[in-house]
Amino acid sequence: MPAPTRKVLGRLSLPERTFVADALRTETVGGVLLLIAAVAALIWANVPALHDSYESVSHYHLGPAALGLHLSIAHWAADGLLAIFFFVAGIELKRELVAGDLKDPRAAALPVVAALCGMAVPALVYTLTNLTGGGSLSGWAVPTATDIAFALAVLAVIGTWLPSALRAFLLTLAVVDDLFAILIIAVFFTADIDFAALGGAAAGLAVFWALLRKGVRGWYVYVPLALVIWALMYNSGIHATIAGVAMGLMLRCTRQEDEKVSPGERVEHLVRPLSAGLAVPLFALFSAGVSLSGGALGDVFTQPETLGVVLGLVLGKALGIFGGTWLTARFTRASLSDDLAWADVFAVATLAGIGFTVSLLIGELAFDGDATLTDEVKAAVLLGSLTAATLATVLLKLRNAKYRRLYETEERDEDLDGIPDIYEEDDPAYHLRMAAIYDRKAAEHRRIAERKTAERLAEVTGGAGEEDHRRA
């Protein structure tokens, strides 16, 4: 007897759908703020009267020099505020591993393979472009990252009704993408290591973990400890955002019997708005401010480093994610959900070519010391992300009517119990409620029909009498 085929990108379970909807709602708002911050940075940096003030603010230093933390504003944004972003990413990853799609190896295979292919192919595209063009291979990792907030902001702006399964795929893909981006930063962009500071950070993390296991509560305990761990990690030579990820992974994301939400979910709910609404937009404000001109944008297509970034984001991401998804479905004998087509997967894969936040960060790390090339690579990231967003918009708009019908089906709740009807089709109580609703509607329509019939008979009778009177 052949094994039953498994559906790829099928309907989510109700708890997973609720979690994804809440997470994406915050990320979408944060993505809109990210767009605003990026546009503000470009205006601030390119208006001649404002350019000098942008440079002055970005390079203004503050912080205790004795602790090795006398950093520029731009540096604080990249190393400090993005630690909050990666802290949330760590919690998301932990939740996916213990309670989400990544818990089931069969379900995890799809986003993991898609994410890996979606990072490997852009890196390969960049490498081949620079090998043939004689450019630097240092930026191979720049086009490998996906910016979920920016991608969701594009979805919000174009008004697509993308089904929850595709949105969840995009979110999970970005979580796995973030994990490997973190590993790339830790392994390939760490130079000299101060083992004393690293040992102090490790000790701090051990204390953080012990306090969590003992159930100690209170932000006044964890926030100061987190700052100490972050400072030690920064001084160790390893990128400070790794501290945020490590602390996020330590939080418990499974619920106990007396809990409505796990500690990880509760902390994520509190910190995510800070990450999406403040940390990431401020990072964008001080990282996206590159000087743009017709000549500078033209140069993006003539230099191998910048061309490799654009091609990696636009072509590499789309081909890598789509190819990884198709290969996973092909070799696991899984079939695509009946409601979707492979064109939908390709559109989402194209949308994943928006690689803003982490791509900008890796660009700064990859070409540290070469300010001109760093700015050119940032311009390439902006141009590549904009191109990917435009292509994805066209592809998604072609299917938007189909998405809207799927969305309306997922959201329909005729019995008004707060649970979409599509999740209750196997519940006898649901059908009894619907039968009672239809009975009440039928009774009301019968009453209306009887009243209308009586009114029509009265009109006919009255009209006949007047006609007879006129004849007499």
Side-chain angles (χ1 to χ4, degrees):
M1 180 177 177
T5 58
R6 186 172 59 83
K7 294 293 183 184
V8 173
L9 300 179
R11 189 182 308 129
L12 302 176
S13 66
L14 184 58
E16 186 69 10
R17 178 181 177 275
T18 302
F19 173 81
V20 168
D22 291 341
L24 295 183
R25 192 176 298 113
T26 304
E27 291 288 0
T28 300
V29 174
V32 173
L33 294 175
L34 181 61
L35 282 171
I36 294 171
V39 172
L42 290 172
I43 294 173
W44 194 0
N46 286 278
V47 172
L50 301 175
H51 176 77
D52 290 343
S53 65
Y54 181 81
E55 292 294 320
S56 298
V57 173
S58 296
H59 295 101
Y60 181 79
H61 282 63
L62 55 92
L67 299 178
L69 298 175
H70 190 63
L71 310 177
S72 67
I73 297 291
H75 210 160
W76 275 111
D79 286 278
L81 291 177
L82 274 196
I84 301 173
F85 166 79
F86 279 106
F87 174 70
V88 174
I91 300 175
E92 288 177 343
L93 177 62
K94 178 68 172 291
R95 187 200 164 278
E96 289 293 331
L97 288 170
V98 301
D101 287 345
L102 300 184
K103 181 180 179 180
D104 180 1
R106 292 180 303 172
L110 178 65
V112 170
V113 172
L116 283 173
C117 293
M119 299 184 82
V121 176
L124 180 62
V125 169
Y126 177 93
T127 301
L128 291 175
T129 303
N130 280 270
L131 284 176
T132 56
S136 170
L137 299 181
S138 300
W140 65 269
V142 175
T144 60
T146 293
D147 194 304
I148 184 64
F150 216 141
L152 292 172
V154 171
L155 290 179
V157 170
I158 66 177
T160 186
W161 304 85
L162 200 65
S164 59
L166 283 177
R167 289 178 182 265
F169 174 64
L170 184 61
L171 177 62
T172 308
L173 189 76
V175 171
V176 178
D177 191 292
D178 285 342
L179 169 64
F180 288 108
I182 291 160
L183 293 175
I184 287 172
I185 292 171
V187 174
F188 295 99
F189 296 104
T190 297
D192 298 327
I193 298 179
D194 184 330
F195 287 99
L198 183 60
L205 288 170
V207 173
F208 190 89
W209 181 84
L211 292 173
L212 288 173
R213 290 298 169 271
K214 289 185 175 295
V216 176
R217 290 192 172 191
W219 64 268
Y220 47 83
V221 174
Y222 291 102
V223 172
L225 178 58
L227 291 174
V228 171
I229 294 170
W230 174 85
L232 288 168
M233 189 69 76
Y234 174 81
N235 280 285
S236 73
I238 294 177
H239 202 270
T241 54
I242 304 300
V245 178
M247 288 183 279
L249 287 170
M250 289 182 180
L251 290 173
R252 177 168 59 82
C253 292
T254 53
R255 302 178 190 179
Q256 296 179 348
E257 292 183 1
D258 58 340
E259 293 178 332
K260 291 185 178 179
V261 295
S262 67
E265 290 173 311
R266 185 173 62 252
V267 172
E268 182 185 15
H269 180 73
L270 293 172
V271 179
R272 185 189 287 276
L274 178 62
S275 168
L278 180 67
V280 175
L282 281 178
F283 167 75
L285 183 63
F286 292 108
S287 292
V290 295
S291 297
L292 299 177
S293 64
L297 292 176
D299 289 343
V300 167
F301 297 100
T302 60
Q303 295 187 90
E305 294 88 354
T306 50
L307 180 61
V309 169
V310 173
L311 293 178
L313 288 172
V314 177
L315 296 179
K317 273 289 183 182
L319 296 176
I321 292 172
F322 179 82
T325 305
W326 185 85
L327 288 171
T328 303
R330 174 70 178 80
F331 289 103
T332 59
R333 295 183 179 179
S335 61
L336 192 65
S337 172
D338 296 335
D339 295 328
L340 301 174
W342 283 109
D344 303 317
V345 180
F346 187 78
V348 171
T350 304
L351 187 66
I354 300 174
F356 191 75
T357 305
V358 180
S359 290
L360 290 177
L361 175 62
I362 294 177
E364 292 179 355
L365 297 173
F367 298 104
D368 186 29
D370 190 337
T372 301
L373 188 53
T374 298
D375 280 352
E376 290 170 345
V377 167
K378 285 183 178 181
V381 169
L382 294 174
L383 186 59
S385 298
L386 179 61
T387 304
T390 303
L391 290 174
T393 298
V394 173
L395 294 173
L396 291 170
K397 279 293 186 182
L398 293 174
R399 296 271 293 170
N400 212 29
K402 171 73 171 178
Y403 297 151
R404 183 163 188 166
R405 289 194 294 272
L406 291 174
Y407 179 84
E408 289 172 348
T409 300
E410 288 183 353
E411 293 295 317
R412 188 178 296 117
D413 182 18
E414 290 190 72
D415 61 344
L416 302 177
D417 66 344
I419 300 174
D421 295 339
I422 203 167
Y423 289 97
E424 299 184 291
E425 292 176 342
D426 296 328
D427 183 3
Y430 160 74
H431 293 284
L432 290 175
R433 288 195 300 272
M434 291 304 300
I437 290 172
Y438 287 133
D439 285 342
R440 287 195 297 272
K441 288 182 177 180
E444 178 64 23
H445 283 295
R446 279 192 291 270
R447 285 194 297 272
I448 294 172
E450 290 169 358
R451 188 176 73 248
K452 295 294 184 182
T453 300
E455 290 173 355
R456 185 173 296 176
L457 286 173
E459 290 175 1
V460 170
T461 303
E466 291 173 3
E467 186 176 345
D468 292 342
H469 178 71
R470 284 196 298 272
R471 287 178 180 174

